[in-house]
Amino acid sequence: MKGLLTLTVNGRLREDAVGGNALLIDYLRDTLGLTGTKQGCDGGECGACTVLVDGEPRLACSTLAHSVAGRHVETIEGLAHEGNLSRLQRAFHEHLGTQCGFCTPGMIMAAEALLRRNPQPSRDEIRVALAGNLCRCTGYVKIVDSVEAASKCGEVTA
């Protein structure tokens, strides 16, 4: 049975009829067309589906959509403004942190949450913040380099 879900997604108030057992990732991808959030392991282990809920990282594949009613959800699409990449998105591009790209949205959202609460994290703090996000390509050096480069930029998204 569907119920009305009211929340803010990427700064826009939304009201949609959503099934009571719908997952947040399905709502974002299927109802809103925000396909930047990736479905990886479907079990909350890889972090590819990481979004921010009230500024905190949350796994969209293991979150019921209705559990975030009235809250602010941010996806990778919400970080770019007027077609311009955020400083973190630019850093991932410029420092080759994207690799194959599948884990990138989750990595960036987890890193965004870190940089908002700690604008100048150490490399160890970056590794800890990204520990719930798995990369199946070549490794984490370029990803950590990207987050570190963004931290030196000083620009804050939210």
Side-chain angles (χ1 to χ4, degrees):
M1 179 167 205
K2 291 187 175 184
L4 188 62
L5 173 62
T6 303
L7 73 164
T8 301
V9 179
N10 296 333
R12 296 183 60 198
L13 182 64
R14 299 285 317 192
E15 287 187 345
D16 296 291
V18 178
N21 61 353
L23 294 172
L24 181 57
I25 192 168
D26 296 326
Y27 169 71
L28 294 170
R29 291 180 59 86
D30 300 340
T31 302
L32 302 185
L34 297 172
T35 57
T37 303
K38 302 301 182 205
Q39 187 163 14
C41 67
D42 200 24
E45 295 178 14
C46 75
C49 65
T50 302
V51 297
L52 301 184
V53 176
D54 293 337
E56 294 298 318
R58 174 82 68 92
L59 299 173
C61 77
S62 58
T63 299
L64 290 173
H66 282 281
S67 73
V68 297
R71 300 175 81 179
H72 295 266
V73 175
E74 296 171 76
T75 69
I76 190 73
E77 291 92 343
L79 295 185
H81 293 284
E82 299 178 1
N84 296 311
L85 298 177
S86 72
R87 60 135 175 28
L88 191 52
Q89 291 169 316
R90 281 192 317 269
F92 267 71
H93 174 71
E94 293 167 0
H95 295 272
L96 307 176
T98 54
Q99 302 177 75
C100 87
F102 195 81
C103 71
T104 303
M107 291 280 186
I108 289 177
M109 297 311 288
E112 179 71 22
L114 169 65
L115 294 178
R116 287 181 187 176
R117 69 177 181 273
N118 180 2
Q120 299 291 317
S122 67
R123 289 182 70 84
D124 285 343
E125 290 169 324
I126 294 169
R127 286 187 192 94
V128 168
L130 300 180
N133 296 73
L134 300 178
C135 169
R136 294 186 172 99
C137 290
T138 59
Y140 299 90
V141 173
K142 298 291 186 189
I143 292 168
V144 173
D145 289 349
S146 299
V147 177
E148 185 175 49
S151 75
K152 293 178 180 172
C153 171
E155 180 183 324
V156 177
T157 300

